[in-house]
Amino acid sequence: MIKYKGNGDIEQLDRDVVGEICDKYNESGISDALRKAGYVPSLEIGDPEAAALELYLNVDKPTEFAGVAYIWICDGYEEYVFETKHAVMLFLKEFTPMIESVVRLYRLPSEN
């Protein structure tokens, strides 16, 4: 789990924040657990087969973080949490072009 601080700084957390939320709300589904914790699905871009970004934001319930995001690239993924909504906007500004580029390359016709 990576904490994105909003000025480009990141901090590796020695916690599984999403796992803790799933345990707290007795949910095996991440989306359901995040909703119960006060986060709502806010943005999903990309293609899950190539690269995708999924974002959940805190709306009206006190939560530890302003948001939670997942980035998938091929078979790997990273989890991010954000201190502020401003950090979320900077994260999107930084990572959205990368997701779009990977998806575009993935969809190019094969040169075989």
Side-chain angles (χ1 to χ4, degrees), residues 76-108:
Y77 79 97
E78 291 285 342
E79 299 174 347
Y80 292 83
V81 292
F82 307 95
E83 291 182 336
T84 65
K85 296 255 172 75
H86 182 71
V88 172
M89 289 184 259
L90 292 174
F91 174 85
L92 292 173
K93 179 181 175 185
E94 182 176 349
F95 285 96
T96 299
M98 184 266 306
I99 296 292
E100 291 173 341
S101 295
V102 172
V103 169
R104 193 174 312 114
L105 288 170
Y106 179 79
R107 292 181 178 163
L108 286 176

Side-chain angles (χ1 to χ4, degrees), residues 25-93:
Y25 292 96
N26 197 28
E27 286 287 344
S28 58
I30 293 170
S31 185
D32 290 337
L34 288 172
R35 283 186 180 112
K36 286 182 178 179
Y39 299 96
V40 296
S42 301
L43 177 68
E44 190 173 327
I45 62 167
D47 178 341
E49 292 184 22
L53 184 153
E54 189 173 348
L55 174 67
Y56 294 80
L57 291 176
N58 163 330
V59 176
D60 60 359
K61 191 174 181 179
T63 57
E64 182 178 0
F65 299 103
V68 177
Y70 294 91
I71 290 184
W72 284 273
I73 298 179
C74 299
D75 292 333
Y77 79 97
E78 291 285 342
E79 299 174 347
Y80 292 83
V81 292
F82 307 95
E83 291 182 336
T84 65
K85 296 255 172 75
H86 182 71
V88 172
M89 289 184 259
L90 292 174
F91 174 85
L92 292 173
K93 179 181 175 185

Side-chain angles (χ1 to χ4, degrees), residues 1-13 78-83 91 94-95:
M1 170 89 25
I2 299 169
K3 185 195 296 186
Y4 189 89
K5 297 182 179 185
N7 57 2
D9 289 341
I10 61 170
E11 176 184 341
Q12 188 71 41
L13 298 180
E78 291 285 342
E79 299 174 347
Y80 292 83
V81 292
F82 307 95
E83 291 182 336
F91 174 85
E94 182 176 349
F95 285 96

